[in-house]
Amino acid sequence: MKKIISFLLLFMAVIVFATWQYRLLCFLFFILLNRNWVKSLPLMRRTIHSYSLLVALLLVGIFISIPNYI
């Protein structure tokens, strides 16, 4: 059930939401929900801190995509 909900959130982020900030937030939520699956991918097993680097890059991307209203 958790994987179905996370897939639907990721699908909605790509299709429905208009801004990059919401797309990145849903993608980050998808990664945080499926931590074990993401860590089991071959690309993530190469280095020790690859998962934390991925989460940090998504957070930086979210802060960059926040619009500046000033």
Side-chain angles (χ1 to χ4, degrees):
M1 185 66 176
K2 189 164 108 174
K3 289 185 180 184
I4 293 172
I5 291 173
S6 61
F7 174 75
L8 289 175
L9 282 173
L10 184 64
F11 183 73
M12 283 179 22
V14 172
I15 299 300
V16 176
F17 294 124
T19 63
W20 281 100
Q21 182 183 6
Y22 290 124
R23 288 179 187 171
L24 288 173
L25 278 173
C26 289
F27 190 66
L28 177 65
F29 187 60
F30 172 77
I31 287 175
L32 292 176
L33 279 179
N34 296 318
R35 177 181 295 168
N36 293 331
W37 177 73
V38 172
K39 284 184 177 181
S40 70
L41 294 174
L43 185 62
M44 290 290 156
R45 280 194 245 164
R46 291 185 184 169
T47 60
I48 298 171
H49 303 291
S50 59
Y51 180 77
S52 59
L53 180 67
L54 177 66
V55 171
L57 285 175
L58 283 172
L59 287 174
V60 167
I62 289 169
F63 286 124
I64 288 173
S65 67
I66 293 174
N68 189 2
Y69 293 113
I70 297 177

